Amino acid sequence: MPTNVTRYRFGPFELDPEEGTLSRNGIRVRLQDLPYRLLLMLVERPGEIVTREEVRQRLWPENTFVEFDNSLGVAIRKVRESLNDNAEAPNYVATLPRRGYRFVAPVTVEGLQARTGISPPSEKPSFAAEAATSALAKPQTPTFPPQWGPPHWGYWAGAGLVVVLGVTAVSFRFHGKPPYVSPNSESSVAAEVQLRRSVAVLGFRNLPGRQEDDWLSPVLSEMLDTELGTRGDLRMVSGEDIARVKHELPPGEGDSLSKQTLDRLRTNPGADVVVLGSYTPLPGDNNKRIRLDLRVQDTANGETIAEDAITGSQNDLFDLAAEAGSRLRQRLGLTANSSGDASAARLALPADQHSARLYVDGREKLWAFDFLSARDLLVQAVAADPQFPLAHSALSEAWWHLGYTNKSRAEAQRAQELARDLAPEDRLLIEGQYWRTMNDPAKAVQAYGQLFHKFPDSLDYGLLLANAQITVQPSAALQTLATLRRLPAPVGDDARIDMTEASAWIGQDLGKARAAAKAAIDKGRRQGRPVLVARTYGFLCQQGVGLGTSTQQEFSDCESALQSAVATGDRNGEATMMTDLGGMDYQQGNMVRAEQMFMMAIQQFRAVGNPEGLAAAMGNLAALRLSQGKLGEAEKMLEASVPDYQAIEDKEGVALTLNNLGDLSRQSGKLDAAEMHYRQAKAAAEEIESKSAVAYVLSGLGDVYMDRGDLAKSRASYEGALTFRKQIGERQMSGESQVQLARLAVEEGRAAAGENILRQWKEQFHLEQQADDELLSSIGLSDALLAQGKQVEAQREIEGSRDLSAKCQNLFDRLQYDVASVRVLLSSDHPENAKGLLERALKDARAHGFVGVEFEARLAMADLEKRSGHAGIAREEFASLERAARDRGFMLIARKAAAARG
């Protein structure tokens, strides 16, 4: 236990190790000795995993003989009761199955360290770690057919980070002594903070217009931005924000901006002052000269604050930028940079103009979503100046967007190793990015928390912190966002706050997530942020199915996202939306358009070099091939995509692809192979704690157990899937689990109970225009009615779904409908009417390798022979089916054949 500790504070609680007491708002809470010591053990290490073995060794020494699991369970329950905590949605103590426990609330340690969301000066913060939530990293986007896992990418919701923070997190630099702010609470931060003046260096016009000199504008802008921001007394608008907004400005305004344009810049990107001008390379021999004309305008009143002209050597732009920065700081009434400031500024720039040009050009490609070109330029920049940490950091971002996790991590690590001599702000930004690429959000929260404390008026740092907190403790992220909203306008009204809030609600409340996303779109339009609007529409599109919104709304959101991605030049986003739309087309049975969308997405992902997106689109196309009965093609595509996911370390992609291979194996009649794939998928999904992926696996395992006739195991799997889907708010998927359980109830002899559930969900799927789900519900309902002897109602039901089957382009579903129709006809007064349909269904099932459907059709064929008076032939067919089904492990159908044979 740490020494010199007075007490620990978390929420309304206070834990006093010296007194051995726990208090809530000053009132003592009764807690027995063993649970108290367990709580103390957890609070001593907030955000860390305390393993079960560590607990055993500390609380139950070697010579203590107890039933450990039971005793530990009782102690944890007592701890939670004392804190009024909930195991399912923990605010304090989270359980990590088979591993241990983690204290997830921020802890303040009096006398040692302050472990709060915003740390006080000169103290290193530690933050709570992972709560049981899926948050942004991988969105739950169930836009796939019921028997398959969802399309897997993670671009839009994961891109909430990109929208909010910019592509390169290290593009924000603020140096020098920060304004002091009381560390007592987040509300005090918002109440006391004074906004520094915000400055945007918009760039410089190439006055002669020679194309070979265009590179000077972004390089000079980067250098001047660094010189102005070195002391930390200005809020420098990020280069990415400037690049985005410049595309929206009216052309041809020259070196002075109109009042209307200045008003727009005051709102987006929130600049108080803008710096712009022009440059003219001057003729000379070896030592080229350049004239830089500067203008500084106030966005509030449109006045020109300063004008200046500086001439220097084109071979030494660093000195030219330093002189320009010094003069502008003087004209703005700011303290001149010291020699130390000048050194700090120089360290934040590349070693020479050639590497500076490569670095700046690479970042501009990142901001334009051209990640392949960005990678190539930044690889050259790193080669030209291997010791420049910011180039390594930018290259890490390029690799990350292209899906190469290991390469991204290697560059982030190199950036961190080289960042020791940088100013604290740059160093912390690089550190935060490193921990983000290493998938350690708790440590990223530490770095970004320190930044936000040092600069509480920085929206960028606040958003960095909130995004890191989302995967650690969403409630803390929401508190940080509330703090940002209390900042003076326009900072506190920025649409990125709403977009980040939408991300924070993922995994908790999808309704609130959607509301926040809509607010972000409304503000984004008013503030002139087309990229944010595009990404937010993508967010809404991918969340739509999970929320159970209408198909019309989903398509509208996805089409808007696609159009916006095209308009902003985001080819990655364009390909993602094609994949989304293809998934929804699939669900509506429009296989032709779905195939077109998937093929275009594959082509686009290949063009932009995104292996993760490519693997996802290939997996989706494989699902479509399966629905067309092309099992061989589907299997090859899926097997080929697994190494792609493994190469980029996308464990959820691996899990969902293995799940889909399980589905394919089951439909091919390979139940053992299906179970193997499902168990591999389950292990991968549990490793990353993806409830959505685990639910898909449990659903598939339930089908395997049903085929084997193990109805108890089947029910347990279906119920497990339903539980997870309810927890994460997947409405449509929950309905599909309910349908599975209802069809199981029919096999269990509880047809009446199954009928009620099937009617309810059939109607719901009809309202939501989920045609395939409605068809499967109708098939189950007809079976439930037949099991109760309601032949007329069953016939009415199956006939009422004929149009659904005719429009369905999923061959597997159509064959199931045909066999269900045969069962209804066999129970009628004219069973012979079933023969033609039955023969076609049996032929198609055999031709495409759908073994389970084939067995169902053979059972119906034997029943037809029996009803036609051909008892001998019927017995032979029942016996043959029983043997074949047993050989394949289909014990449910084998038992039915044996019972029918008599």
Side-chain angles (χ1 to χ4, degrees):
M1 185 177 72
T3 59
N4 301 322
V5 174
T6 303
R7 49 190 168 267
Y8 298 89
R9 294 183 183 275
F10 46 94
F13 295 97
E14 178 180 287
L15 191 69
D16 190 331
E18 295 181 3
E19 297 293 331
T21 59
L22 172 68
S23 303
R24 178 187 175 96
N25 294 325
I27 301 174
R28 185 166 176 174
V29 178
R30 295 186 61 182
L31 187 61
Q32 296 172 346
D33 178 66
L34 189 64
Y36 173 84
R37 288 190 288 135
L38 175 56
L39 174 60
L40 179 60
M41 189 176 181
L42 295 169
V43 170
E44 286 172 357
R45 295 164 56 185
E48 299 180 25
I49 298 174
V50 179
T51 67
R52 291 165 53 86
E53 181 60 23
E54 288 174 310
V55 174
R56 188 193 65 75
Q57 291 178 4
R58 180 161 165 179
L59 301 187
W60 287 278
E62 192 171 327
N63 295 327
T64 303
F65 299 97
V66 297
E67 204 294 296
F68 174 66
D69 288 336
N70 182 64
S71 299
L72 178 58
V74 171
I76 281 290
R77 188 173 72 251
K78 294 290 187 184
V79 168
R80 287 186 170 126
E81 288 175 355
S82 69
L83 302 177
N84 195 26
D85 202 12
N86 186 332
E88 293 297 323
N91 292 317
Y92 297 104
V93 180
T95 299
L96 283 74
R98 300 185 303 279
R99 298 170 68 189
Y101 303 93
R102 177 181 276 154
F103 199 81
V104 297
V107 177
T108 301
V109 184
E110 292 194 357
L112 182 66
Q113 288 182 341
R115 302 175 185 264
T116 58
I118 303 174
S119 61
S122 304
E123 295 180 351
K124 183 179 179 180
S126 172
F127 293 85
E130 186 177 37
T133 173
S134 58
L136 275 185
K138 296 290 179 184
Q140 313 301 330
T141 53
T143 55
F144 226 66
Q147 67 269 29
W148 281 64
H152 177 75
W153 44 90
Y155 184 73
W156 288 106
L161 180 67
V162 182
V163 173
V164 173
L165 310 178
V167 175
T168 47
V170 295
S171 61
F172 313 117
R173 292 200 299 276
F174 306 97
H175 304 271
K177 183 178 179 181
Y180 177 74
V181 60
S182 169
N184 293 333
S185 68
E186 289 185 348
S187 59
S188 68
V189 170
E192 299 177 23
V193 68
Q194 296 293 319
L195 289 182
R196 293 165 294 159
R197 191 183 302 184
S198 176
V199 178
V201 180
L202 296 181
F204 304 97
R205 190 159 55 96
N206 178 0
L207 209 55
R210 292 191 296 270
Q211 188 173 359
E212 61 269 24
D213 295 326
D214 285 348
W215 66 274
L216 288 165
S217 177
V219 170
L220 284 169
S221 299
E222 175 73 15
M223 292 177 176
L224 182 56
D225 180 278
T226 302
E227 293 290 339
L228 290 173
T230 295
R231 289 189 62 83
D233 47 6
L234 294 172
R235 283 187 300 125
M236 303 305 299
V237 176
S238 76
E240 180 176 6
D241 283 342
I242 292 170
R244 297 267 196 266
V245 77
K246 281 170 68 175
H247 287 292
E248 305 301 317
L249 295 179
E253 288 207 57
D255 297 337
S256 180
L257 301 180
S258 68
K259 182 63 168 63
Q260 182 180 6
T261 298
L262 290 169
D263 286 341
R264 290 179 60 182
L265 291 170
R266 189 169 185 81
T267 301
N268 175 31
D272 300 317
V273 172
V274 295
V275 179
L276 66 163
S278 61
Y279 60 92
T280 304
L282 304 174
D285 296 327
N286 294 327
N287 188 19
K288 291 184 178 181
R289 307 282 289 172
I290 183 172
R291 172 190 169 102
L292 180 64
D293 292 284
L294 301 166
R295 178 186 294 271
V296 182
Q297 287 186 268
D298 189 317
T299 59
N301 53 33
E303 292 182 0
T304 296
I305 300 174
E307 288 183 297
D308 212 332
I310 304 169
T311 301
S313 171
Q314 190 171 324
N315 294 325
D316 198 351
L317 297 179
F318 297 109
D319 287 347
L320 181 68
E323 176 65 21
S326 177
R327 293 192 192 182
L328 290 185
R329 288 185 61 83
Q330 182 180 8
R331 298 296 294 272
L332 291 170
L334 301 171
T335 303
N337 287 340
S338 65
S339 58
D341 296 328
S343 298
R346 191 64 187 83
L347 287 170
L349 292 168
D352 54 56
Q353 292 176 194
H354 172 64
S355 54
R357 179 176 179 179
L358 291 169
Y359 167 64
V360 169
D361 287 350
R363 288 199 315 163
E364 288 197 326
K365 293 296 185 182
L366 273 178
W367 300 336
F369 313 108
D370 188 352
F371 303 126
L372 276 178
S373 297
R375 178 202 63 188
D376 294 342
L377 287 164
L378 291 167
V379 165
Q380 295 178 61
V382 165
D385 184 3
Q387 301 303 308
F388 182 48
L390 296 178
H392 287 280
S393 188
L395 180 55
S396 171
E397 290 288 344
W399 283 123
W400 183 79
H401 281 288
L402 291 171
Y404 292 91
T405 305
N406 285 337
K407 291 184 178 181
S408 175
R409 288 175 175 173
E411 291 299 329
Q413 182 173 354
R414 184 59 180 150
Q416 187 179 36
E417 292 168 353
L418 295 170
R420 289 189 296 270
D421 295 329
L422 291 179
E425 289 69 46
D426 280 338
R427 190 170 63 248
L428 286 169
L429 279 167
I430 286 176
E431 181 182 339
Q433 182 201 17
Y434 169 73
W435 291 121
R436 179 165 61 85
T437 61
M438 294 301 293
N439 198 27
D440 193 334
K443 290 183 178 177
V445 167
Q446 289 186 8
Y448 295 142
Q450 290 184 67
L451 280 171
F452 189 43
H453 175 77
K454 287 176 179 292
F455 298 97
D457 63 343
S458 171
L459 176 65
D460 297 315
Y461 290 172
L463 292 173
L464 280 167
L465 173 59
N467 272 274
Q469 289 171 323
I470 283 171
T471 51
V472 174
Q473 189 180 13
S475 60
L478 292 169
Q479 291 173 6
T480 299
L481 295 172
T483 299
L484 291 174
R485 291 189 189 281
R486 290 192 290 269
L487 291 173
V491 178
D493 195 42
D494 195 289
R496 291 174 292 174
I497 299 175
D498 298 278
M499 180 64 218
T500 311
E501 181 181 338
S503 301
W505 283 117
I506 294 297
Q508 299 188 90
D509 190 321
L510 291 177
K512 290 182 179 179
R514 188 174 183 85
K518 287 189 172 182
I521 289 174
D522 293 340
K523 286 184 182 179
R525 283 173 172 159
R526 293 197 305 270
Q527 295 170 5
R529 296 179 180 272
V531 173
L532 182 140
V533 170
R535 297 288 177 83
T536 311
Y537 268 124
F539 172 93
L540 286 174
C541 168
Q542 290 197 327
Q543 299 309 315
V545 175
L547 283 166
T549 55
S550 71
T551 302
Q552 182 179 0
Q553 181 64 58
E554 292 164 25
F555 269 103
S556 176
D557 290 338
C558 293
E559 291 286 0
S560 295
L562 177 59
Q563 294 165 10
S564 299
V566 172
T568 56
D570 184 359
R571 298 172 69 194
N572 227 4
E574 184 181 344
T576 299
M577 295 324 305
M578 289 173 181
T579 311
D580 269 346
L581 285 164
M584 285 190 292
D585 284 324
Y586 186 110
Q587 284 191 322
Q588 286 207 319
N590 190 345
M591 297 300 179
V592 174
R593 188 171 186 266
E595 182 173 0
Q596 291 173 346
M597 284 292 174
F598 291 148
M599 293 295 289
M600 287 191 294
I602 289 170
Q603 183 179 5
Q604 191 81 301
F605 279 131
R606 281 198 177 117
V608 300
N610 185 337
E612 183 177 26
L614 177 61
M618 287 287 288
N620 294 350
L621 186 59
L624 188 145
R625 292 285 184 259
L626 175 64
S627 70
Q628 295 171 331
K630 301 175 182 178
L631 274 62
E633 288 185 36
E635 186 173 21
K636 288 178 182 178
M637 289 180 180
L638 288 172
E639 289 176 344
S641 66
V642 171
D644 290 337
Y645 281 126
Q646 291 172 333
I648 58 177
E649 297 186 343
D650 186 343
K651 293 181 180 179
E652 188 174 33
V654 171
L656 293 173
T657 303
L658 288 170
N659 175 79
N660 292 346
L661 279 167
D663 292 340
L664 188 149
S665 295
R666 174 185 167 261
Q667 293 179 23
S668 302
K670 305 170 186 175
L671 297 186
D672 289 343
E675 183 175 11
M676 178 192 71
H677 287 309
Y678 285 137
R679 294 205 175 279
Q680 291 173 342
K682 188 170 183 284
E686 287 177 340
E687 185 178 350
I688 57 172
E689 300 182 11
S690 172
K691 291 183 179 181
S692 181
V694 172
Y696 275 101
V697 173
L698 291 174
S699 177
L701 280 171
D703 289 338
V704 170
Y705 296 140
M706 171 99 80
D707 290 336
R708 288 174 173 168
D710 192 336
L711 303 188
K713 278 190 176 181
S714 180
R715 173 165 291 279
S717 289
Y718 289 154
E719 288 176 345
L722 178 60
T723 297
F724 281 127
R725 285 166 170 173
K726 283 183 174 179
Q727 285 177 0
I728 57 180
E730 290 184 349
R731 179 180 173 82
Q732 182 187 347
M733 299 297 105
S734 295
E736 292 174 2
S737 291
Q738 295 274 21
V739 168
Q740 287 178 309
L741 284 164
R743 297 185 74 173
L744 174 62
V746 176
E747 298 294 345
E748 293 172 330
R750 300 184 298 109
E755 177 189 347
N756 293 332
I757 295 172
L758 288 161
R759 286 191 186 280
Q760 172 190 341
W761 280 102
K762 182 197 169 191
E763 178 63 23
Q764 187 64 39
F765 289 139
H766 176 74
L767 293 173
E768 295 174 2
Q769 301 177 46
Q770 300 299 332
D772 286 354
D773 282 334
E774 183 182 354
L775 178 62
L776 292 175
S777 300
S778 180
I779 293 170
L781 181 55
S782 69
D783 287 339
L785 293 168
L786 282 181
Q788 299 174 77
K790 302 177 181 179
Q791 198 281 333
V792 175
E793 290 184 49
Q795 187 162 348
R796 187 183 307 121
E797 176 62 37
I798 210 72
E799 289 177 354
S801 297
R802 186 171 294 139
D803 286 345
L804 284 174
S805 177
K807 294 176 182 177
C808 178
Q809 297 183 49
N810 185 321
L811 177 60
F812 184 75
D813 289 352
R814 290 203 311 273
L815 288 175
Q816 289 186 85
Y817 172 82
D818 288 345
V819 175
S821 299
V822 165
R823 286 194 290 267
V824 172
L825 289 172
L826 289 176
S827 66
S828 69
D829 294 335
H830 299 282
E832 66 278 5
N833 293 340
K835 186 174 182 179
L837 178 60
L838 178 54
E839 289 175 343
R840 289 194 300 272
L842 180 57
K843 179 181 177 181
D844 286 343
R846 282 173 171 163
H848 294 286
F850 291 124
V851 173
V853 178
E854 177 191 343
F855 285 163
E856 292 283 354
R858 287 178 62 182
L859 183 66
M861 185 65 78
D863 189 25
L864 175 60
E865 294 292 351
K866 184 177 181 179
R867 291 174 184 270
S868 301
H870 306 145
I873 295 175
R875 281 195 298 273
E876 290 179 6
E877 292 191 2
F878 281 130
S880 174
L881 173 59
E882 181 185 356
R883 289 192 298 272
R886 285 184 183 277
D887 289 344
R888 292 278 197 147
F890 283 74
M891 298 308 298
L892 181 64
I893 199 81
R895 288 202 295 263
K896 289 180 179 179
R901 178 166 54 89

